[in-house]
Amino acid sequence: MGSASSMLTQYDIEEVQEHCNHLFSQQEIVCLYERFCQLDRNAKGFISSDEFLSIPEFVMNPLSQRLLKMVDGLNFKDFVAFLSAFSTKAGTHQKVELIFKVYDSDRNGKVSFKDILEVLKDLSGSYMSDDQREEVLGQVLKEAGYSKDCYLTLDDFIKVLGHSGVKMDVEVPVD
Amino acid sequence: MNSSGVLKSSSSELDLDRPNIEDYLPSGAAIQQEPRGKLRLHDLLDISPTLSEAAGAIVDDSFTRCFKSNPPEPWNWNIYLFPLWCFGVFARYLIIFPTRVLVLTIGWIIFLSSFIPVHFLLKGHDKLRRSIERSLVEMICSFFVASWTGVVRYHGPRPSRRPKQVFVANHTSMIDFIVLEQMTAFAVIMQKHPGWVGLLQSTILESVGCIWFNRSEAKDREIVARKLREHVQGADNNPLLIFPEGTCVNNHYTVMFKKGAFELGCTVCPVAIKYNKIFVDAFWNSRKQSFTKHLLQLMTSWAVVCDVWYLEPQNLKPGETPIEFAERVRDIISTRAGLKMVPWDGYLKYSRPSPKHRERNIGS
């Protein structure tokens, strides 16, 4: 494979598994490692933005830039920990937390009206005008009992998204 | 929300060849919008489908899979397998390889000593000269194939020399061309390469008829399209071979065909090539090896085994667009050779998808 440590030892696998709270099986970790080495072209030990952006399917995703900020430069252990939120075994709380982090781009622990608008803009692009988005969001927030000026915390997110469960799973292809 | 039609751009190379990519892309809804009034905060904040797709792409994506070359599994882990393997290495590198180099050298000597005189002395007798040059090119390709101990099985009727037809094939390595050329002298359209390959291209391949293009030049397209059309009309020209994928793929998948070959208004004859990896992987991973290294790898392996199928000529059906035609032919080739089709443009290997493609994905 050409990378510095292309063979994972059993100790390495267990360490990574520990780090991600056993949300991935050992076989999945081995497959993720192969994928990591495939993406990390010059075996630096982390995947650069450029290398993520060579995946056309990823680039075409409207939220790719936001995810890129979160995943850029991670070493393998942290890469697996990041992806563990997408494991079928991960709890709703962890998934909602990831969603919250995607919204909270300035990492201040609060999601403002503006933050939500920004994400909506990424998703709906040119299909809605800024005014339309503001209007829709304002209305929906009001119906849920929040005003335009209040900040949503992680608990609010869990309250809104958590009770019906969040379906956010990715299967690791194990050959 | 329905996407409002196809966004076009004249400067990007990537978009015009692509049929309805929305049909292929996973349909992650950006916003699940029900009639107004029923939209809840939960629906608005729930970006999980889009995030799942993005994470899915990080974990595994069909495009990278197309260019993955699987390293051969080592089998020499045993006390008796290891000496056997050593003997194999010895045989391949020290006995077979020099023999092959010798055979190839002899082939080149015969070729050059016949080609050069014929090329210059028979300047006036074009038809005869071309016919001899064709046979000579076929001969040197046979020598090349022999130098890798190529075991090639050809199925189907051999290509006939008729005007108004082009041949299209899936592309795994530059040796595709040599494997096909040893049976029939095709004219070919190729990326201009540097080094000794480029030299070969400009001298010998000129005689069978070649069209050059440069991937990096966008304007090149119209010139190339015109040259293609001219070539196909000429009754005397060799049948034209085109690799519509535009890049080498690892022989397990096919990427999208460029429509250039399918809008020339002539019959398209599909050719499917499938390599057997048993002794060596014929996929030329141009990111990892130069062509010389690739050839050396082939020459130090036991054999190159492949199957070539000449399939039934296809014509543009009434009401079919060139892009649909290209996809149909791609389907025929992929089915025959047992390859999976992926909806990506091969040129994405060299450049990033433009922001316009991201726009198209939104709201679908």
Side-chain angles (χ1 to χ4, degrees), chain B residues 340-351:
Chain B
K340 298 197 198 87
M341 293 172 60
V342 294
W344 298 107
D345 180 331
Y347 278 7
L348 287 171
K349 207 171 157 195
Y350 305 100
S351 56

PDB file of all heavy atoms in Angstrom, chain B residues 340-351:
ATOM      1  N   LYS B 340     -19.064  -3.021 -14.309  1.00  0.00           N
ATOM      2  CA  LYS B 340     -20.172  -2.256 -13.734  1.00  0.00           C
ATOM      3  C   LYS B 340     -20.119  -0.828 -14.266  1.00  0.00           C
ATOM      4  O   LYS B 340     -19.058  -0.258 -14.436  1.00  0.00           O
ATOM      5  CB  LYS B 340     -20.049  -2.221 -12.208  1.00  0.00           C
ATOM      6  CG  LYS B 340     -20.137  -3.582 -11.583  1.00  0.00           C
ATOM      7  CD  LYS B 340     -20.429  -3.457 -10.087  1.00  0.00           C
ATOM      8  CE  LYS B 340     -20.094  -4.740  -9.382  1.00  0.00           C
ATOM      9  NZ  LYS B 340     -18.685  -4.849  -8.960  1.00  0.00           N
ATOM     10  N   MET B 341     -21.289  -0.284 -14.489  1.00  0.00           N
ATOM     11  CA  MET B 341     -21.332   1.082 -15.006  1.00  0.00           C
ATOM     12  C   MET B 341     -21.426   2.070 -13.862  1.00  0.00           C
ATOM     13  O   MET B 341     -22.216   1.870 -12.938  1.00  0.00           O
ATOM     14  CB  MET B 341     -22.561   1.237 -15.917  1.00  0.00           C
ATOM     15  CG  MET B 341     -22.439   0.403 -17.172  1.00  0.00           C
ATOM     16  SD  MET B 341     -23.930   0.347 -18.163  1.00  0.00           S
ATOM     17  CE  MET B 341     -24.226   2.033 -18.566  1.00  0.00           C
ATOM     18  N   VAL B 342     -20.629   3.110 -13.903  1.00  0.00           N
ATOM     19  CA  VAL B 342     -20.759   4.174 -12.906  1.00  0.00           C
ATOM     20  C   VAL B 342     -21.031   5.491 -13.625  1.00  0.00           C
ATOM     21  O   VAL B 342     -20.564   5.711 -14.734  1.00  0.00           O
ATOM     22  CB  VAL B 342     -19.499   4.319 -12.010  1.00  0.00           C
ATOM     23  CG1 VAL B 342     -19.322   3.113 -11.152  1.00  0.00           C
ATOM     24  CG2 VAL B 342     -18.272   4.582 -12.821  1.00  0.00           C
ATOM     25  N   PRO B 343     -21.795   6.377 -12.988  1.00  0.00           N
ATOM     26  CA  PRO B 343     -22.224   7.594 -13.675  1.00  0.00           C
ATOM     27  C   PRO B 343     -21.245   8.756 -13.557  1.00  0.00           C
ATOM     28  O   PRO B 343     -21.661   9.873 -13.330  1.00  0.00           O
ATOM     29  CB  PRO B 343     -23.522   7.927 -12.947  1.00  0.00           C
ATOM     30  CG  PRO B 343     -23.281   7.473 -11.548  1.00  0.00           C
ATOM     31  CD  PRO B 343     -22.446   6.231 -11.670  1.00  0.00           C
ATOM     32  N   TRP B 344     -19.982   8.503 -13.676  1.00  0.00           N
ATOM     33  CA  TRP B 344     -19.018   9.598 -13.518  1.00  0.00           C
ATOM     34  C   TRP B 344     -18.268   9.844 -14.804  1.00  0.00           C
ATOM     35  O   TRP B 344     -18.038   8.954 -15.597  1.00  0.00           O
ATOM     36  CB  TRP B 344     -18.002   9.269 -12.412  1.00  0.00           C
ATOM     37  CG  TRP B 344     -18.641   9.101 -11.093  1.00  0.00           C
ATOM     38  CD1 TRP B 344     -18.831   7.943 -10.418  1.00  0.00           C
ATOM     39  CD2 TRP B 344     -19.226  10.137 -10.282  1.00  0.00           C
ATOM     40  NE1 TRP B 344     -19.481   8.178  -9.244  1.00  0.00           N
ATOM     41  CE2 TRP B 344     -19.735   9.511  -9.123  1.00  0.00           C
ATOM     42  CE3 TRP B 344     -19.372  11.513 -10.420  1.00  0.00           C
ATOM     43  CZ2 TRP B 344     -20.359  10.220  -8.123  1.00  0.00           C
ATOM     44  CZ3 TRP B 344     -19.993  12.221  -9.407  1.00  0.00           C
ATOM     45  CH2 TRP B 344     -20.475  11.570  -8.279  1.00  0.00           C
ATOM     46  N   ASP B 345     -17.850  11.073 -14.960  1.00  0.00           N
ATOM     47  CA  ASP B 345     -17.061  11.483 -16.103  1.00  0.00           C
ATOM     48  C   ASP B 345     -15.598  11.171 -15.800  1.00  0.00           C
ATOM     49  O   ASP B 345     -15.081  11.604 -14.784  1.00  0.00           O
ATOM     50  CB  ASP B 345     -17.266  12.985 -16.282  1.00  0.00           C
ATOM     51  CG  ASP B 345     -16.502  13.559 -17.443  1.00  0.00           C
ATOM     52  OD1 ASP B 345     -15.435  13.034 -17.811  1.00  0.00           O
ATOM     53  OD2 ASP B 345     -16.975  14.560 -17.994  1.00  0.00           O
ATOM     54  N   GLY B 346     -14.950  10.444 -16.666  1.00  0.00           N
ATOM     55  CA  GLY B 346     -13.563  10.048 -16.429  1.00  0.00           C
ATOM     56  C   GLY B 346     -12.629  11.211 -16.198  1.00  0.00           C
ATOM     57  O   GLY B 346     -11.638  11.099 -15.473  1.00  0.00           O
ATOM     58  N   TYR B 347     -12.951  12.360 -16.799  1.00  0.00           N
ATOM     59  CA  TYR B 347     -12.065  13.518 -16.664  1.00  0.00           C
ATOM     60  C   TYR B 347     -12.026  14.064 -15.235  1.00  0.00           C
ATOM     61  O   TYR B 347     -11.185  14.882 -14.920  1.00  0.00           O
ATOM     62  CB  TYR B 347     -12.477  14.630 -17.633  1.00  0.00           C
ATOM     63  CG  TYR B 347     -11.939  14.417 -19.033  1.00  0.00           C
ATOM     64  CD1 TYR B 347     -11.278  13.250 -19.384  1.00  0.00           C
ATOM     65  CD2 TYR B 347     -12.088  15.381 -20.010  1.00  0.00           C
ATOM     66  CE1 TYR B 347     -10.797  13.047 -20.657  1.00  0.00           C
ATOM     67  CE2 TYR B 347     -11.613  15.186 -21.288  1.00  0.00           C
ATOM     68  CZ  TYR B 347     -10.968  14.026 -21.605  1.00  0.00           C
ATOM     69  OH  TYR B 347     -10.499  13.841 -22.879  1.00  0.00           O
ATOM     70  N   LEU B 348     -12.941  13.619 -14.371  1.00  0.00           N
ATOM     71  CA  LEU B 348     -12.901  14.050 -12.982  1.00  0.00           C
ATOM     72  C   LEU B 348     -11.625  13.572 -12.300  1.00  0.00           C
ATOM     73  O   LEU B 348     -11.268  14.037 -11.228  1.00  0.00           O
ATOM     74  CB  LEU B 348     -14.116  13.530 -12.208  1.00  0.00           C
ATOM     75  CG  LEU B 348     -15.438  14.219 -12.539  1.00  0.00           C
ATOM     76  CD1 LEU B 348     -16.596  13.512 -11.910  1.00  0.00           C
ATOM     77  CD2 LEU B 348     -15.396  15.657 -12.078  1.00  0.00           C
ATOM     78  N   LYS B 349     -10.936  12.658 -12.969  1.00  0.00           N
ATOM     79  CA  LYS B 349      -9.645  12.207 -12.465  1.00  0.00           C
ATOM     80  C   LYS B 349      -8.652  13.349 -12.499  1.00  0.00           C
ATOM     81  O   LYS B 349      -7.710  13.384 -11.722  1.00  0.00           O
ATOM     82  CB  LYS B 349      -9.154  11.099 -13.404  1.00  0.00           C
ATOM     83  CG  LYS B 349      -8.223  10.088 -12.811  1.00  0.00           C
ATOM     84  CD  LYS B 349      -8.077   8.994 -13.852  1.00  0.00           C
ATOM     85  CE  LYS B 349      -6.838   8.174 -13.746  1.00  0.00           C
ATOM     86  NZ  LYS B 349      -6.581   7.391 -14.949  1.00  0.00           N
ATOM     87  N   TYR B 350      -8.856  14.270 -13.447  1.00  0.00           N
ATOM     88  CA  TYR B 350      -7.885  15.331 -13.644  1.00  0.00           C
ATOM     89  C   TYR B 350      -8.344  16.667 -13.108  1.00  0.00           C
ATOM     90  O   TYR B 350      -7.564  17.567 -12.910  1.00  0.00           O
ATOM     91  CB  TYR B 350      -7.573  15.490 -15.141  1.00  0.00           C
ATOM     92  CG  TYR B 350      -7.111  14.202 -15.759  1.00  0.00           C
ATOM     93  CD1 TYR B 350      -7.984  13.417 -16.496  1.00  0.00           C
ATOM     94  CD2 TYR B 350      -5.810  13.751 -15.563  1.00  0.00           C
ATOM     95  CE1 TYR B 350      -7.563  12.217 -17.041  1.00  0.00           C
ATOM     96  CE2 TYR B 350      -5.399  12.551 -16.104  1.00  0.00           C
ATOM     97  CZ  TYR B 350      -6.270  11.789 -16.839  1.00  0.00           C
ATOM     98  OH  TYR B 350      -5.868  10.596 -17.370  1.00  0.00           O
ATOM     99  N   SER B 351      -9.631  16.833 -12.927  1.00  0.00           N
ATOM    100  CA  SER B 351     -10.104  18.131 -12.442  1.00  0.00           C
ATOM    101  C   SER B 351     -11.301  17.920 -11.535  1.00  0.00           C
ATOM    102  O   SER B 351     -11.892  16.867 -11.506  1.00  0.00           O
ATOM    103  CB  SER B 351     -10.490  19.016 -13.616  1.00  0.00           C
ATOM    104  OG  SER B 351     -11.445  18.357 -14.412  1.00  0.00           O
TER     105      SER B 351
END
